[in-house]
Amino acid sequence: VPAYRTKKEHLEAMLNSVSRQSYPHWELIVADAGGTAESVQAWAKKNGICLREAADASNLAEWKDQSIVLCTLSENKGISANTNAGIELAAGDAVGLLDHDDLLTANALWEMADEDKCDKAASRFYEPNFKPDFDGEMLLTNNYICHFTVIETAFLKELKLRSGFDGAQDYDLMLRAYAAGGQFVHVPKVLY
């Protein structure tokens, strides 16, 4: 999760949605480019969640499930570069790309794909995006994949997000993954 001056209520909602996952083996990496670290630290302490600083993350095998890595960046280099800094710390087999104000359903890490938008209270949902199975031709004309995307860690570290595409970094990544022969799987459920 790249974070920069995230509103506390959005950050806490995102953190709560990740911490409530039914899948027990997760780690959340927050790449903070400014103004967010104290909120993450306070939330983790209040909720009894293991918080590690990036400097402590070098031996990730020692850490157990359900933890958060806080990577404090020296400057804000944009969405792509900030995300790449977090990706470099990823120890699992797959990485889920998530924004600092996103919400996941409790089973999103078990199964992922379709998305919807909600109001500030997360009580009214109003713009479902039901996605079809993978269609390379459609991808060339429309970024229909968008969020919540999970990618094999090694493949993502190879591709990386490119800073020149901030704002459309996910679409650029999907096009390059497709061109590189990536395999796409669609889970037909609203999880994001």
Side-chain angles (χ1 to χ4, degrees):
V1 173
Y4 180 70
R5 297 183 182 167
T6 308
K7 290 183 178 180
K8 184 178 178 180
E9 61 270 16
H10 293 161
L11 179 72
E12 288 184 356
M14 181 275 298
L15 291 167
N16 286 332
S17 77
V18 173
S19 70
R20 294 180 181 137
Q21 290 299 299
S22 58
Y23 184 75
H25 310 290
W26 57 264
E27 91 179 334
L28 175 64
I29 300 170
V30 178
D32 175 37
T36 308
E38 287 182 15
S39 294
V40 173
Q41 292 164 340
W43 178 89
K45 183 176 181 178
K46 180 175 84 176
N47 289 283
I49 301 289
C50 176
L51 178 66
R52 297 176 278 145
E53 300 294 327
D56 299 331
S58 58
N59 192 2
L60 293 172
E62 291 181 7
W63 293 93
K64 298 297 181 193
D65 302 331
Q66 299 183 350
S67 63
I68 298 174
V69 175
L70 178 59
C71 173
T72 304
L73 305 174
S74 60
E75 64 181 304
N76 182 13
K77 294 184 178 180
I79 296 169
S80 296
N82 297 350
T83 303
N84 286 335
I87 291 168
E88 285 304 313
L89 297 173
D93 294 332
V95 171
L97 301 175
L98 193 62
D99 290 339
H100 60 173
D101 57 355
D102 288 348
L103 300 175
L104 299 177
T105 62
N107 61 330
L109 295 181
W110 279 108
E111 11 182 24
M112 40 57 73
D114 293 322
E115 64 184 79
D116 200 351
K117 291 191 173 93
C118 64
D119 62 12
K120 288 184 180 182
S123 62
R124 186 177 71 83
F125 296 85
Y126 57 87
E127 196 174 314
N129 181 5
F130 299 108
K131 302 171 188 178
D133 287 335
F134 181 74
D135 182 335
E137 291 293 319
M138 185 177 198
L139 182 63
L140 293 174
T141 63
N142 177 15
N143 181 20
Y144 75 93
I145 295 176
C146 203
H147 294 144
F148 174 54
T149 305
V150 176
I151 303 171
E152 288 182 7
T153 304
F155 191 47
L156 183 57
K157 286 182 177 182
E158 178 184 318
L159 291 175
K160 297 190 186 295
L161 289 124
R162 299 190 298 184
S163 293
F165 294 90
D166 279 358
Q169 72 280 351
D170 297 333
Y171 190 34
D172 173 64
L173 178 65
M174 290 303 107
L175 290 170
R176 291 184 298 114
Y178 177 52
Q183 299 296 309
F184 292 76
V185 175
H186 174 232
V187 179
K189 296 180 180 183
V190 176
L191 302 169
Y192 165 93

